[in-house]
Amino acid sequence: MLRRYLLSLSLLAVLVLLYLQISTPLSLSQQLAQALAPSDDSLENLTFSLAVLPRLLMALLVGAAMGLSGSLLQQLTQNRLVSPMTIGVSSGAWVGLLCLSAVAPTLVTSHGEWAALCGAVLAVGVVLLIAGRDGIAGLPMVLAGMAMNLLLGAVAAAILLIDHQQSRGVSVWGAGDLGQIDWYFVSWLWPKLAVGALLIMFAPRPLALLQLGSRAAQARGLNLWPVLLGLFLSALWLSAVSITAVGLIGFIGLIAPNLARLLGARTPRDELLYSSLVGMLVLLGSDILALLLTNFLGDLVPTGATAALIGAPALLWLLRRKLAAKDLRSLSLMGTSTRGLAVRLRWTLPLMVCLTLLLSLCVNRSLDGWLLEWPSSLVWSLRWPRVLTAVAAGSGLAVAGLLLQRLLRNPLASPDILGITAGAALAVMLILLVAGNNLFWLKAPLAAFSGSMIVLGLLLVLGRRHDYAPGVMVLVGIALGALLNTGLQFCLVKASGDSLALLGWLAGSTYRVSAGQSVGLAVGVALLSVLSLSFQRALTLISMDEGTARSRGLEVRRVRLVLLVLAALLCALVTSLLGPVAFVGLLAPHMAALFGARRVVAQLWLAAVLGGLLMLIADWLGRTMIFPLQVPVGIVASVLCGLYFVYLLVRQRWL
């Protein structure tokens, strides 16, 4: 054990020296002299004292805190895939900070850690409510955290967009920025991390007892629930104060404990201590990579992006090794409804469609208040392309989600969950950087389709080992999505002013869509949906079992490839025009099943209708709720559908 610590400390020393060499032109002797006797006689000395050294210490402090927090959470839950990122701690803390910034921005620097802690506690509370006691140690905990991350990510995007005056520059902070201009945050952070030393001293005994089981721990005198609550809150506190200081930096809390165990950490105290050391190594290495890329590209590259660049492949490796057999079982989200509800839907669905169309077209806000009137010719010319685009986009995503869920026999499959929309968005940004704006809207669908197909291919290759088990496919999608979003951040770093104008497109917007584009999208979605209907028999057989499908004479591989191409085309059409939208492709097929649509044809058309209605309602809300400002439909749809999806998960667990 001593040899392991000595080698790790030696590697840390090498990384520190490498960091100092690339961060300042000062020689080592000059750096030592400046550290011992600071002087401000030159810009290099001043930069070294107020920027380079504080950033180095911040990387070490935050890396240790995130590694310790991840180890504590994993030991408490006995779940090797749990971390502040995977169970919603980081996204909850980030939303808490953004809410405080919107309400009282002056309190963020002085009391922001409490807002972050409240957000983290609320997010984890919902995750625990969804997973239940039996799901904490398995995949349901991580899947519930995934749902919270998607939902809170949409909420954070909405806050940043609405409160744009207060949020200027905060997006870099949200991407994880270790840059410092003085010693303020270092002196602010380190006393708050003192709880980590107490954890290393006093937490190992209760953690060791918890490994024996709750009953055995109580029999040996452990006051179970107060200890669990105290340790859990301590882990959340470490993450909350770190996020307050430097923003979102994911994967450190996931990688460090697993590497610590891989390298020989066995006892609870050894794992806590060594995870802290590994966290320092990983975050400092990520920061060095960020500095090298910043120097090479000439633009700021956030440390959080490089941490994701390292962490996403690590998550892919971990899920292939650490998933237990029980995690590979089939997943179910909700049951279908009774026949009575399906019969009532025949009367209520047309009414829902008519009311939603009237709401979208005739109910609006102006400077004089709410208006209820048929739009004028000018307003109509501006509004009908938005309405048609929203309906077509929602229907296309719903059909794509249904195809993926049937093909993979995975109730959690959808273009956003599996990372397909992230691949399409990255491909669109790459074609923009390479080809510029010339004929961009003609090239974008082809680029989006290529990105979608590449991600689908990776999903099929990486999921083959576990026979495309639902849990594995979802986790592969999460990892690929994180990796692709990192690439998207790099593209935005190098983007020109015209490219940055597409940030609204990344949020999913309809207000810049022309009439021709909306008609083209609607026609494309309609044709692909009708083509999907011709494969109803194949979808029915594949969704039952591949053996059954082959016994009925179906060429499973060829049909699956064709249907995956159809799903990718639908995703590419919507993403290239509207931008990435979350949850609609996941939720609409389940809503159709909930309304009684069990067969492929009924579920497909009903999911398409419900997806269109969801997007139409989201577009109307985005247009009216903060008038005269507008919120992109993608954000509103993600928040609305995400809230309903979380409700369904909680309802399934407790009802």
Side-chain angles (χ1 to χ4, degrees):
M1 184 174 72
L2 180 61
R3 181 182 180 184
R4 167 165 40 91
Y5 277 93
L6 289 176
L7 288 175
S8 299
L9 289 172
S10 300
L11 179 58
L12 183 63
V14 171
L15 289 178
V16 169
L17 291 175
L18 178 60
Y19 167 83
L20 293 174
Q21 286 299 309
I22 65 176
S23 299
T24 176
L26 298 178
S27 64
L28 288 177
S29 59
Q30 291 173 322
Q31 294 173 21
L32 181 61
Q34 181 65 17
L36 296 175
S39 64
D40 55 357
D41 56 350
S42 67
L43 179 61
E44 290 80 5
N45 287 338
L46 195 63
T47 302
F48 179 78
S49 299
L50 297 180
V52 175
L53 286 182
R55 180 168 181 154
L56 172 62
L57 290 180
M58 187 62 75
L60 298 177
L61 288 172
V62 173
M66 298 302 290
L68 180 59
S69 176
S71 176
L72 186 56
L73 288 172
Q74 291 184 13
Q75 292 190 61
L76 284 172
T77 60
Q78 297 297 303
N79 189 337
R80 303 316 182 196
L81 291 174
V82 162
S83 73
M85 182 198 71
T86 56
I87 63 171
V89 175
S90 299
S91 54
W94 177 233
V95 170
L97 279 172
L98 289 176
C99 290
L100 182 62
S101 176
V103 176
T106 57
L107 297 179
V108 172
T109 55
S110 58
H111 299 89
E113 68 275 15
W114 298 108
L117 181 62
C118 289
V121 169
L122 290 175
V124 174
V126 176
V127 169
L128 292 174
L129 190 65
I130 295 172
R133 184 175 181 178
D134 297 334
I136 291 177
L139 190 60
M141 184 80 164
V142 179
L143 296 178
M146 171 271 300
M148 285 303 299
N149 282 331
L150 285 175
L151 172 59
L152 294 176
V155 173
I159 295 173
L160 287 171
L161 187 67
I162 294 171
D163 193 36
H164 61 91
Q165 293 296 331
Q166 295 294 341
S167 61
R168 287 181 180 177
V170 81
S171 57
V172 175
W173 184 34
D177 181 27
L178 294 179
Q180 306 294 310
I181 57 173
D182 54 30
W183 289 90
Y184 173 79
F185 272 109
V186 174
S187 60
W188 177 89
L189 181 62
W190 77 262
K192 296 174 175 60
L193 297 181
V195 66
L198 298 176
L199 288 172
I200 293 175
M201 293 173 59
F202 299 110
R205 182 180 180 275
L207 290 175
L209 292 176
L210 286 172
Q211 292 178 358
L212 303 175
S214 57
R215 292 185 178 179
Q218 287 177 313
R220 287 166 172 78
L222 181 66
N223 197 356
L224 186 62
W225 291 110
V227 171
L228 283 176
L229 182 61
L231 293 178
F232 220 95
L233 287 177
S234 299
L236 300 188
W237 171 258
L238 291 173
S239 299
V241 296
S242 300
I243 291 170
T244 304
V246 299
L248 288 176
I249 297 181
F251 290 106
I252 304 299
L254 175 66
I255 298 172
N258 283 282
L259 284 179
R261 284 186 295 273
L262 182 66
L263 295 174
R266 295 293 179 264
T267 65
R269 176 175 280 111
D270 186 20
E271 184 178 328
L272 291 173
L273 188 59
Y274 198 56
S275 295
S276 302
L277 181 56
V278 173
M280 293 183 188
L281 289 169
V282 175
L283 186 54
L284 185 56
S286 300
D287 196 39
I288 290 173
L289 180 59
L291 290 173
L292 291 173
L293 289 173
T294 298
N295 294 335
F296 175 74
L297 298 174
D299 295 288
L300 175 65
V301 176
T303 307
T306 55
L309 194 62
I310 296 172
L315 178 58
L316 290 172
W317 176 77
L318 286 172
L319 71 91
R320 291 171 66 86
R321 291 174 54 93
K322 300 298 183 182
L323 284 179
K326 63 180 180 180
D327 292 328
L328 304 181
R329 62 182 183 269
S330 296
L331 299 173
S332 61
L333 185 62
M334 66 192 77
T336 56
S337 66
T338 62
R339 178 176 174 81
L341 182 58
V343 171
R344 289 195 298 270
L345 186 63
R346 297 175 186 174
W347 303 99
T348 58
L349 186 61
L351 182 61
M352 291 167 55
V353 172
C354 293
L355 289 178
T356 305
L357 285 173
L358 288 174
L359 180 73
S360 179
L361 292 173
C362 301
V363 180
N364 199 17
R365 287 180 67 180
S366 68
L367 296 177
D368 300 324
W370 287 94
L371 299 175
L372 178 59
E373 61 181 10
W374 186 259
S376 63
S377 58
L378 176 61
V379 174
W380 171 258
S381 65
L382 297 174
R383 190 165 299 170
W384 75 260
R386 296 188 58 168
V387 171
L388 184 59
T389 299
V391 172
S395 300
L397 290 174
V399 173
L402 175 62
L403 293 177
L404 293 171
Q405 290 173 17
R406 290 271 183 171
L407 287 173
L408 301 177
R409 296 188 296 279
N410 186 344
L412 295 177
S414 70
D416 51 306
I417 300 289
L418 298 181
I420 298 173
T421 53
L426 177 59
V428 170
M429 288 300 296
L430 286 175
I431 199 67
L432 175 67
L433 289 176
V434 173
N437 287 331
N438 185 30
L439 298 178
F440 171 71
W441 299 113
L442 294 177
K443 301 173 183 176
L446 180 60
F449 173 70
S450 302
S452 300
M453 286 302 300
I454 290 173
V455 174
L456 277 174
L458 289 173
L459 285 168
L460 294 177
V461 171
L462 295 173
R464 182 183 301 170
R465 177 178 177 181
H466 293 296
D467 196 25
Y468 309 112
V472 173
M473 297 301 289
V474 171
L475 286 176
V476 169
I478 293 172
L480 288 177
L483 192 60
L484 294 168
N485 285 326
T486 300
L488 189 60
Q489 289 185 29
F490 286 139
C491 288
L492 290 175
V493 165
K494 292 300 292 180
S496 64
D498 292 336
S499 303
L500 293 177
L502 291 177
L503 288 175
W505 167 78
L506 289 174
S509 57
T510 59
Y511 44 76
R512 51 165 180 73
V513 176
S514 67
Q517 291 170 345
S518 64
V519 172
L521 176 64
V523 172
V525 168
L527 290 176
L528 292 173
S529 300
V530 171
L531 186 58
S532 301
L533 281 174
S534 64
F535 289 90
Q536 56 174 302
R537 177 177 177 272
L539 282 170
T540 302
L541 293 175
I542 291 176
S543 61
M544 293 170 57
D545 182 72
E546 286 193 14
T548 302
R550 291 193 181 95
S551 66
R552 300 296 178 87
L554 186 69
E555 296 185 15
V556 176
R557 290 187 178 181
R558 182 177 299 177
V559 172
R560 175 182 281 132
L561 178 60
V562 172
L563 290 172
L564 287 175
V565 169
L566 284 178
L569 280 171
L570 285 165
C571 179
L573 277 176
V574 175
T575 304
S576 62
L577 182 60
L578 194 68
V581 180
F583 280 118
V584 175
L586 172 66
L587 191 59
H590 287 293
M591 292 179 67
L594 189 66
F595 284 131
R598 295 175 176 86
R599 296 184 178 181
V600 171
V601 175
Q603 190 182 12
L604 191 145
W605 75 259
L606 185 54
V609 172
L610 292 173
L613 290 179
L614 287 172
M615 287 292 286
L616 192 56
I617 293 171
D619 183 62
W620 178 79
L621 287 173
R623 193 174 70 237
T624 60
M625 63 182 179
I626 58 169
F627 181 85
L629 300 178
Q630 296 192 32
V631 181
V633 62
I635 293 178
V636 180
S638 298
V639 172
L640 286 179
C641 297
L643 286 171
Y644 186 61
F645 180 63
V646 169
Y647 161 74
L648 289 177
L649 292 175
V650 175
R651 179 175 177 268
Q652 181 203 20
R653 174 66 182 84
W654 294 100
L655 295 181

